[in-house]
Amino acid sequence: MNYYVIYDGNCNLCVTLVRSLETLDKGNLFRYVPMQDEQTLLGWGITAQDCEQGVILIDGNLPQRRWQGSNAAEEIGRLLPAGSTFVDAYRALPGMKWAGDRFYEQIRDNRYTIFGKRSSTYESAYCVDGSCKQTKAK
């Protein structure tokens, strides 16, 4: 099973998190598409306006099954080995989901100010169709 992670390829924080996922997963479960790849996103019916709400996770087997923002981050965490234990504990703590959602929104809306913006879009070596634009993303 594959999941597609739609991330901001110009955001330093987003790219750091994608690189961490790449190291953990090695393309076994996740494939990555920067939000700047409008052609690929249009194939899923995703617009630039949709991307403004944050990271998107798409189930590769059921593309209509999607998560966005903090829900996508939680689902990515849940899918990692032993991740469901931590996500379930987080969700079980009273008020944590609400606080986590607000925290995510603040980071999302201020990511360039807080973490900076890249001069070029990061494209993962683990792309959707295997025909990555780069052999090794930098």
Side-chain angles (χ1 to χ4, degrees), residues 13-27:
L13 174 64
C14 306
V15 169
T16 298
L17 294 172
V18 164
R19 285 181 170 167
S20 296
L21 275 175
E22 290 170 336
T23 300
L24 287 169
D25 181 59
K26 307 230 182 302

Side-chain angles (χ1 to χ4, degrees), residues 1-39:
M1 175 176 285
N2 277 322
Y3 290 87
Y4 305 118
V5 178
I6 315 302
Y7 66 98
D8 184 346
N10 292 338
C11 165
N12 285 327
L13 174 64
C14 306
V15 169
T16 298
L17 294 172
V18 164
R19 285 181 170 167
S20 296
L21 275 175
E22 290 170 336
T23 300
L24 287 169
D25 181 59
K26 307 230 182 302
N28 291 319
L29 188 58
F30 299 109
R31 300 290 178 185
Y32 307 91
V33 179
M35 291 177 178
Q36 292 74 18
D37 184 349
E38 294 178 15
Q39 183 177 356

Side-chain angles (χ1 to χ4, degrees), residues 12-118:
N12 285 327
L13 174 64
C14 306
V15 169
T16 298
L17 294 172
V18 164
R19 285 181 170 167
S20 296
L21 275 175
E22 290 170 336
T23 300
L24 287 169
D25 181 59
K26 307 230 182 302
N28 291 319
L29 188 58
F30 299 109
R31 300 290 178 185
Y32 307 91
V33 179
M35 291 177 178
Q36 292 74 18
D37 184 349
E38 294 178 15
Q39 183 177 356
T40 300
L41 298 183
L42 284 177
W44 287 310
I46 297 172
T47 66
Q49 292 78 21
D50 295 329
C51 293
E52 291 176 11
Q53 297 306 307
V55 65
I56 300 170
L57 180 67
I58 299 174
D59 183 328
N61 292 332
L62 297 167
Q64 66 277 14
R65 188 171 171 215
R66 301 173 182 193
W67 300 262
Q68 187 159 21
S70 61
N71 292 327
E74 291 173 20
E75 187 64 17
I76 290 167
R78 192 188 67 74
L79 291 165
L80 293 172
S84 62
T85 301
F86 295 103
V87 173
D88 291 345
Y90 160 80
R91 288 177 176 167
L93 293 170
M96 283 303 293
K97 173 69 173 145
W98 180 88
D101 290 349
R102 302 299 81 74
F103 180 72
Y104 180 90
E105 291 166 1
Q106 288 300 310
I107 296 298
R108 177 198 66 205
D109 295 344
N110 298 289
R111 64 189 179 275
Y112 296 142
T113 302
I114 298 169
F115 300 100
K117 186 174 182 178
R118 297 174 51 86

